[in-house]
């Protein structure tokens, strides 16, 4: 049986793992952006791990080694920020090819350290081994104020669904590159930037549930609904897109909203928030858009486009058939 036969990556994780923990120090295990553990009297510990594989998450024909290092750090920091947390300590594990150049590694580490410095992360260990493909894995530890931790499971029907910044940038860049177009708006794919700790915390002070966008708005809203036991409506016309993403989609005869819904690696934040909290959030943070509403579970998860309900498909899945 292939992984795609059982429904892909998330079905596999569900099949292999349990959700019961014997250790009461586990506040949240599998199923969120980070594991949440007991730490001090007023803070929880957060742990996340994300891997990048050559020709799947990056291509050396397109990315510089500097960009690969930066992307690896940003993708992990994003998971800590999405919990309302503070990123702190990183471990890196590398499988390197025999022909991997030292200069490549120098540049890769420059990218890694530049992003780490921006987010005040310390690299404190790792492992180095040999492999046939480049495999780069980062584990990141952070912490969070107990009152600010924001889980995927905290959405409540009636909450507004919001996203930061604009979506679809990474997919737009990837599609341009795949078509051999090396000019235009590529940065969203080559050098995606996650949100800052201060932004995640500002949102956490007012929001219920939060997740970062690694597999597209469709997938992330699906995760929130699954963990919260709710439905949701996303309004197609409200999905925020940059003019560069719209232009890229026009060049490729695509709908840019499809990039936002089903493309990976934008590293923006999706959160649900009671309508009454929006004015208070706006005093602290403005770069977000209301794109829909959390609904009771029986209403389902769908996209409203020109008055018609469209099915919400899954986002990016490495094992999709
Ligand atoms: P994210 O995209 O936020 O990094 P993922 O979608 O990769 O999160 O993972 C979802 C959840 O599943 C996380 O809690 C993660 O720790 C867990 N997970 C992923 N792969 C495995 C695995 N092979 N075994 C156990 N847990 C896993
Ligand atoms: Mg995540």
């Amino acid at each position: 049986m292939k992984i795609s036969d059982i429904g892909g990556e998330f079905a596999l994780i569900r099949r292999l793992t349990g959700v019961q923990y014997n250790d009461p120090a586990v506040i949240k295990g599998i199923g969120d952006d980070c594991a949440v553990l007991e730490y001090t009297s007023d803070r929880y510990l957060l742990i996340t791990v994300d891997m990048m594989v050559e020709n799947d998450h990056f291509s050396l024909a397109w990315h510089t080694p500097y960009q690969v290092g930066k992307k690896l750090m940003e993708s992990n920091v994003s998971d800590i920020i999405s919990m309302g947390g503070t990123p702190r300590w990183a471990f890196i594990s590398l499988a390197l090819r025999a022909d991997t150049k030292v200069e490549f590694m120098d540049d890769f580490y420059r990218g890694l350290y530049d992003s780490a410095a921006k987010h005040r992360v310390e690299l404190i260990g790792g492992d180095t081994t040999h492999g046939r493909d480049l495999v780069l894995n980062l584990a990141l530890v952070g912490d969070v104020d107990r009152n600010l931790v924001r889980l995927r499971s905290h959405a409540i029907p009636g909450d507004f669904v919001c996203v930061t910044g604009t979506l679809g940038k990474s997919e737009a860049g990837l599609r341009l590159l795949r078509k051999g177009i090396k000019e235009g708006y590529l940065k969203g794919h080559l050098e995606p930037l996650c949100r800052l700790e201060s932004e995640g915390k500002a949102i956490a002070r007012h929001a219920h549930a939060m997740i970062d966008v690694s597999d597209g708005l469709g997938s992330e809203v699906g995760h929130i609904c699954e963990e919260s036991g709710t439905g949701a409506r996303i309004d197609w016309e409200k999905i925020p897109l940059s003019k560069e993403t719209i232009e890229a989609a026009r060049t490729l005869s695509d709908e840019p909203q499809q990039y936002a819904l089903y493309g990976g690696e934008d590293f923006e934040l999706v959160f649900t928030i009671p309508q009454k909290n929006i004015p208070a959030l706006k005093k602290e943070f403005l770069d977000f858009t209301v794109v829909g509403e959390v609904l009771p579970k029986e209403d389902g998860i769908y996209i409203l486009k020109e008055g018609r309900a469209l099915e919400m498909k899954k986002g990016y899945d490495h094992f999709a058939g």
Side-chain angles (χ1 to χ4, degrees):
M1 191 162 42
K2 288 187 296 183
I3 295 170
S4 58
D5 293 338
I6 61 166
E9 174 183 342
F10 298 110
L12 180 71
I13 297 169
R14 271 196 301 275
R15 177 189 168 106
L16 298 178
T17 61
V19 285
Q20 298 297 319
Y21 302 98
N22 296 319
D23 182 348
V26 181
I27 305 299
K28 178 74 201 182
I30 295 165
D32 217 300
D33 294 297
C34 296
V36 183
L37 303 175
E38 285 289 353
Y39 186 32
T40 66
S41 59
D42 54 356
R43 297 184 77 75
Y44 290 129
L45 203 64
L46 300 172
I47 305 182
T48 183
V49 52
D50 258 303
M51 186 186 286
M52 287 177 40
V53 177
E54 183 177 5
N55 297 325
D56 193 339
H57 299 86
F58 63 93
S59 160
L60 294 179
W62 301 333
H63 293 81
T64 65
Y66 179 87
Q67 289 170 327
V68 176
K70 209 166 160 180
K71 189 166 179 176
L72 183 62
M73 183 60 75
E74 295 283 322
S75 71
N76 275 277
V77 171
S78 184
D79 279 320
I80 301 267
I81 304 293
S82 76
M83 307 294 290
T86 305
R88 302 193 67 153
W89 307 289
F91 289 81
I92 187 161
S93 302
L94 306 171
L96 306 178
R97 290 197 310 255
D99 63 357
T100 300
K101 296 270 185 299
V102 175
E103 293 77 9
F104 172 96
M105 293 310 294
D106 286 344
D107 283 349
F108 169 74
Y109 265 70
R110 263 198 319 114
L112 197 70
Y113 271 114
D114 276 2
S115 170
K118 182 174 106 186
H119 298 290
R120 296 190 301 279
V121 168
E122 303 284 4
L123 181 62
I124 57 166
D127 191 27
T128 310
T129 188
H130 170 258
R132 259 187 300 179
D133 293 310
L134 266 182
V135 180
L136 314 166
N137 182 61
L138 196 84
L140 185 60
V141 181
D143 64 353
V144 62
D145 184 320
R146 281 172 181 252
N147 299 316
L148 281 190
V149 68
R150 290 297 168 261
L151 301 181
R152 297 176 178 182
S153 56
H154 284 168
I156 297 175
D159 284 356
F160 279 2
V161 179
C162 303
V163 301
T164 60
T166 63
L167 298 179
K169 307 180 282 275
S170 179
E171 185 72 16
L174 176 62
R175 294 208 179 208
L176 289 173
L177 285 162
R178 280 200 184 132
K179 282 265 149 83
I181 302 171
K182 296 234 172 170
E183 285 151 27
Y185 191 66
L186 306 177
K187 230 175 171 177
H189 180 68
L190 297 177
E191 260 188 81
L193 296 178
C194 73
R195 286 283 159 175
L196 303 176
E197 176 194 349
S198 57
E199 298 174 324
K201 278 182 173 164
I203 295 167
R205 279 191 281 275
H206 306 284
H208 281 159
M210 182 150 56
I211 185 171
D212 71 322
V213 183
S214 49
D215 301 318
L217 179 63
S219 173
E220 314 313 350
V221 169
H223 289 316
I224 288 180
C225 290
E226 187 178 333
E227 289 283 322
S228 299
T230 65
R233 185 197 73 247
I234 297 298
D235 299 319
W236 174 276
E237 286 81 13
K238 292 187 186 153
I239 295 173
L241 304 159
S242 70
K243 66 176 191 321
E244 290 87 353
T245 301
I246 294 169
E247 211 170 287
R250 192 178 302 130
T251 306
L252 300 169
S253 305
D254 289 327
E255 289 178 306
Q257 288 86 354
Q258 300 282 356
Y259 296 174
L261 284 163
Y262 308 120
E265 302 184 323
D266 278 321
F267 303 129
E268 296 288 351
L269 299 169
V270 179
F271 57 96
T272 81
I273 180 170
Q275 185 178 359
K276 67 171 172 42
N277 291 1
I278 287 192
L281 173 58
K282 280 192 172 162
K283 285 191 190 136
E284 294 182 55
F285 178 71
L286 279 170
D287 188 13
F288 72 93
T289 309
V290 177
V291 295
E293 192 181 338
V294 179
L295 303 173
K297 190 181 174 81
E298 54 274 20
D299 289 6
I301 309 172
Y302 62 94
I303 304 157
L304 194 65
K305 181 184 180 190
E306 292 158 7
R308 287 188 25 237
L310 303 182
E311 183 199 353
M312 181 89 84
K313 293 181 240 145
K314 286 192 191 152
Y316 186 77
D317 186 323
H318 292 275
F319 297 97

